Amino acid sequence: MKNSNPFIVFTPGLASITGCLLCLGISIAPNLGLVSTPNGQGAASGAKRPWMNPSLSAEKRADLLLRAMNLDDKIAMLHGGPSKGPAGAVPANPRLGIPALCLADGRAGVGNGARDVTLLPAPLAAAASWNPALLFAYGKVLGNEEWKKGVNVFLGPTIDVVRVPEWGRAFETYGEDPYFNSQMAAAEINGVQSEGPIANANMYLTMNQETDRGKVNCVVGERTLQEIYLPPFRAAIQAGNVGTVMGAYVKTDGSYSCQNRHLLHDFLRTELGFKGWVLSDWGAVHSTLDCLNAGLDQEMPGGRYYGKPLALAVQAGEVSTPTLNRHVRRILVTMFRHGLFDRPPTGTWHSNARSAADDLFARKAAEEGTVLLKNEGHILPLANPPSIAVIGADGGTKAMAEGGGSSGVVAPYVVSPLEGIRQRAPGIRVSYADGSDVSQAAKNAQAAGVAIVFVSAFESEGADRPNLELPGNQDQLVSAVAAANSNTVVVLNTGGAVLMPWLGHVRAVIEAWYPGQEDGHAIAAVLFGDVNPSGRLALTFPRTNDEVPTASPRRWPGISRGKPASRTSEYTEALNVGYRWYAATRTRPLFPFGYGLSYTTFKLAGPLVLTRDRLESSPGKASVAVTVNVTNSGRRAGSEVVQAYIGHPAANGEPPLQLCGFAKVLLHPGQTEPVRIVLNPWAFSIFDTAANRWTSPPGAYDILIGA
Ligand code: BGC
């Protein structure tokens, strides 16, 4: 059963269903290209302060204000100042009526030690819902709570593609696919910004490891940058209209992110049309003039380079007034555009931001992101066993509900799995062992109808995981419990992939990620079938440490050369990131990207209908939709995630298959619905390094549809 999602092959014209993926052919005629469209509008009155007139355009207001600003006013906008609580601040300018900027972390909730906030499941958990509407709602809860805390710049989301499975910040992201991350990024950013704060797309760019993050040089190459690492930022800017971007700690192709003109000027401004401002990650600035000339607008959290040194550089004529104004103007325009001058946040750092609706959402999001990986003999949902042994520290008061680092949230409460299970099933005898004594845990398991082992792997900013194994004695714990009770269910609380040497000996496995404050309620709802799991993996789970795309030290964590030693990470896997690598090397992972089971069954069937099978329209308009019939063939209502992958003509030099569309559909038992997936025009294009542009080479493309 495991790993055997039913795929179907469809041969155009024959409608035969033979085994693996539903497949359609499509051909592209020459002259198809793609264009990107920057966007963003907004507007927001007075006589002494004409820039306060909200009926003027954001640009006009910024220009009026700029004219009233002296050098000190301008320099003050370009770097952080003292902050009492949040991660960063730029003081208000009362003379000119410029509101303060208050910047706070927020990946799974308001961070930086804020109280009375909601701890949502980790972003990777929310993303595992494969439901952009859920990410929009996730963004709304975060944005709303930040706004109630007085925060007008929300530091998140983290939209980088996960390259290294051990990356300490994988849990903060959406996973390993550029298209998927793009959809999720745009959805969450739109949600955040609809509530008031300006969002911040981070971390730009190639922030893919924690090891030596302050000095590692990521040797990537243009095509890989364009095709793998840039797309989520394109989506954040063009579909999410994000107001700010955060420059990362690392170097990309030889230059620190915050002084990398290619990244900041050529990509962000020229190619993507970004109109907002770029702020640095905390302490990621290494120069004054290099950063300014490359395009960095604001230093955070202090003014080591953009404070006095910048003022002196302006006075010495090293920085011209137009240059200085350009950076200040970007900040002002964005602030006007997002209404920051017209509508202050509703509370302050010490206000209560929580609500019953947010608690409810935290639970719903955790439930929808939970992924059922194995369910042998349909042991789940639990059919009222006489007794349950809950085992593992994560099952009790030490439940791992969140990851660490700047995304850390002070949870108002965490419902432990033990509490959740006891509340859900008051009639069932439930024992508990924390697993520190393996033989006691095995005894409990043996005495119970079902054993549920909770295991975890902690992830945090600042360090990568040493490998993909469950830390400590957890593998032994699972094996001992499985040996003592043939009805063993494993629940994983991890921020990414882990190895499962005991997989063949347990009946069921659930990936619950870092589930947030509603941990116990959500997992109990899934275990007992109140919720039919519908999450799918957003990153690959390998069988071993050695088969991952970045298994060689040159790739990760990179090797040190020269004096002083500086580490270089070579991105020689190039486009073969995540599942692309497994497909290209024909390596069978433990659980593939996109994988997840349900308590019901689904059938995908042709005829597959393409809206057109030739693409020769004008650039950027080449959208194509594919329709497939999905049936709930089981006995419970459930949601299927239909996924579309593209296979390029061999001459394009692309990975064998790449996600280019997906749709989630809820079906009642016996219900059949046509599911329509609009294919992303970018899917039919590659970056031509020699010509330095995107192109869609003529040829035959395969569209593969499956679950
Ligand atoms: C992180 C950022 C974060 C900042 C402020 C840095 O260490 O990389 O993501 O926003 O701290 O807390």
Side-chain angles (χ1 to χ4, degrees):
M1 269 299 292
K2 63 178 191 283
N3 280 3
S4 55
N5 265 356
F7 281 102
I8 306 161
V9 172
F10 175 80
T11 312
L14 291 178
S16 69
I17 292 171
T18 52
C20 191
L21 278 164
L22 285 163
C23 179
L24 272 182
I26 191 165
S27 64
I28 292 198
N31 301 326
L32 177 70
L34 292 165
V35 286
S36 55
T37 45
N39 60 17
Q41 267 316 317
S45 298
K48 271 194 253 147
R49 290 176 176 174
W51 55 88
M52 298 306 276
N53 177 358
S55 66
L56 301 176
S57 74
E59 291 75 12
K60 178 81 191 161
R61 294 174 75 180
D63 290 337
L64 289 166
L65 174 51
L66 255 178
R67 257 179 254 147
M69 291 172 88
N70 61 33
L71 180 61
D72 290 347
D73 299 326
K74 292 175 185 172
I75 297 286
M77 295 299 299
L78 297 180
H79 64 84
S83 164
K84 288 196 206 100
V90 173
N93 185 325
R95 184 174 60 85
L96 299 170
I98 306 175
L101 289 175
C102 172
L103 305 89
D105 281 297
R107 276 53 177 214
V110 186
N112 314 128
R115 302 277 162 169
D116 305 314
V117 299
T118 304
L119 173 62
L120 298 177
L124 186 64
S129 68
W130 284 63
N131 180 0
L134 186 116
L135 267 290
F136 177 77
Y138 187 90
K140 279 186 85 74
V141 169
L142 293 174
N144 178 267
E145 291 206 4
E146 296 261 0
W147 198 244
K148 285 181 183 161
K149 284 279 184 192
V151 176
N152 51 15
V153 180
F154 167 91
L155 300 172
T158 303
I159 67 178
D160 299 274
V161 165
V162 176
R163 167 181 184 250
V164 174
E166 295 90 345
W167 185 27
R169 301 183 78 167
F171 72 98
E172 289 183 32
T173 75
Y174 307 127
E176 71 188 18
D177 181 75
Y179 171 79
F180 182 83
N181 286 21
S182 300
Q183 304 306 304
M184 298 304 170
E188 183 175 341
I189 289 164
N190 279 313
V192 168
Q193 295 192 157
S194 72
E195 293 291 329
I198 299 173
N200 176 247
N202 60 79
M203 289 131 336
Y204 185 78
L205 192 66
T206 67
M207 187 63 210
N208 302 122
Q209 66 182 62
E210 293 305 286
T211 311
D212 267 359
R213 68 178 186 178
K215 45 185 191 222
V216 64
N217 180 24
C218 306
V219 181
V220 191
E222 197 70 5
R223 181 164 178 185
T224 304
L225 283 178
Q226 286 275 2
E227 294 191 20
I228 302 287
Y229 299 103
L230 201 56
F233 291 90
R234 178 186 291 117
I237 291 163
Q238 297 177 355
N241 190 23
V242 75
T244 65
V245 168
M246 180 187 282
Y249 288 122
V250 297
K251 291 178 191 154
T252 304
D253 289 329
S255 166
Y256 277 115
S257 305
C258 293
Q259 56 192 54
N260 191 320
R261 189 167 165 86
H262 189 47
L263 296 188
L264 298 178
H265 178 267
D266 305 349
F267 280 176
L268 267 194
R269 302 287 171 192
T270 311
E271 187 176 331
L272 305 185
F274 180 53
K275 299 274 189 280
W277 87 85
V278 181
L279 54 93
S280 75
D281 200 341
W282 271 228
V285 178
H286 298 272
S287 63
T288 303
L289 295 183
D290 285 352
C291 284
L292 200 79
N293 292 332
L296 179 78
D297 302 302
Q298 193 178 53
E299 177 186 8
M300 279 291 158
R304 179 168 174 199
Y305 295 99
Y306 273 31
K308 205 166 181 189
L310 180 54
L312 292 174
V314 175
Q315 282 156 348
E318 290 165 354
V319 171
S320 69
T321 303
T323 299
L324 183 72
N325 287 355
R326 188 165 64 239
H327 294 285
V328 177
R329 187 175 186 273
R330 284 175 185 155
I331 298 173
L332 297 177
V333 168
T334 310
M335 291 175 70
F336 281 119
R337 188 175 279 157
H338 287 263
L340 263 46
F341 282 76
D342 311 322
R343 204 172 31 96
T346 47
T348 67
W349 192 240
H350 299 290
S351 310
N352 172 44
R354 293 183 54 213
S355 70
D358 293 355
D359 292 348
L360 211 65
F361 178 78
R363 174 173 175 166
K364 181 181 148 43
E367 290 169 351
E368 197 173 337
T370 301
V371 185
L372 178 62
L373 293 173
K374 176 174 181 177
N375 192 15
E376 199 179 285
H378 302 285
I379 187 177
L380 298 176
L382 295 173
N384 288 323
S387 57
I388 296 176
V390 172
I391 293 163
D394 299 289
T397 48
K398 297 208 175 107
M400 195 173 286
E402 60 173 317
S406 60
S407 71
V409 173
V410 181
Y413 62 83
V414 173
V415 180
S416 74
L418 183 60
E419 285 173 84
I421 290 168
R422 285 191 166 141
Q423 281 175 23
R424 172 58 182 75
I428 297 178
R429 257 185 304 120
V430 181
S431 67
Y432 176 67
D434 69 6
S436 53
D437 178 347
V438 174
S439 58
Q440 181 59 48
K443 272 191 207 137
N444 284 20
Q446 200 167 18
V450 172
I452 311 179
V453 200
F454 290 82
V455 290
S456 66
F458 185 60
E459 249 177 44
S460 175
E461 178 183 343
D464 296 322
R465 285 191 280 154
N467 53 51
L468 300 174
E469 285 147 38
L470 284 171
N473 70 345
Q474 298 183 99
D475 283 334
Q476 289 103 294
L477 178 67
V478 175
S479 297
V481 170
N485 189 324
S486 57
N487 292 329
T488 293
V489 175
V490 177
V491 177
L492 300 164
N493 289 126
T494 73
V498 286
L499 307 180
M500 303 179 210
W502 33 258
L503 183 63
H505 304 291
V506 302
R507 293 276 298 275
V509 181
I510 297 176
E511 177 54 86
W513 313 108
Y514 300 145
Q517 66 186 36
E518 285 287 314
D519 183 358
H521 289 146
I523 195 65
V526 170
L527 288 166
F528 287 93
D530 310 333
V531 165
N532 187 354
S534 67
R536 303 289 185 262
L537 297 179
L539 33 72
T540 309
F541 279 50
R543 284 176 196 274
T544 69
N545 284 312
D546 302 331
E547 68 186 22
V548 306
T550 48
S552 83
R554 281 177 175 276
R555 291 189 181 158
W556 174 78
I559 51 171
S560 296
R561 286 207 201 89
K563 273 188 183 171
S566 78
R567 200 185 283 276
T568 301
S569 284
E570 297 169 8
Y571 285 44
T572 45
E573 77 285 358
L575 304 177
N576 288 323
V577 173
Y579 66 85
R580 291 161 166 79
W581 168 261
Y582 295 83
T585 59
R586 297 182 175 271
T587 306
R588 194 176 155 81
L590 194 60
F591 295 107
F593 174 86
Y595 184 80
L597 301 172
S598 166
Y599 294 153
T600 187
T601 50
F602 300 97
K603 283 209 172 84
L604 269 63
L608 285 178
V609 183
L610 267 182
T611 47
R612 46 187 167 157
D613 60 7
R614 280 180 73 76
L615 297 176
E616 38 200 341
S617 66
S618 58
K621 304 260 162 53
S623 84
V624 155
V626 58
T627 307
V628 60
N629 288 318
V630 187
T631 303
N632 181 343
S633 50
R635 286 197 293 252
R636 273 171 187 270
S639 296
E640 179 59 299
V641 178
V642 183
Q643 301 163 37
Y645 293 82
I646 190 157
H648 281 243
N652 287 9
E654 288 287 301
L657 79 172
Q658 309 190 70
L659 187 74
C660 60
F662 60 89
K664 189 168 192 176
V665 56
L666 171 66
L667 297 168
H668 300 294
Q671 188 183 357
T672 298
E673 286 294 329
V675 171
R676 186 171 188 266
I677 299 179
V678 177
L679 304 181
N680 183 351
W682 290 98
F684 302 97
S685 56
I686 66 170
F687 189 77
D688 179 340
T689 311
N692 193 33
R693 63 177 181 95
W694 284 87
T695 150
S696 299
Y701 291 71
D702 289 328
I703 314 278
L704 308 154
I705 308 287

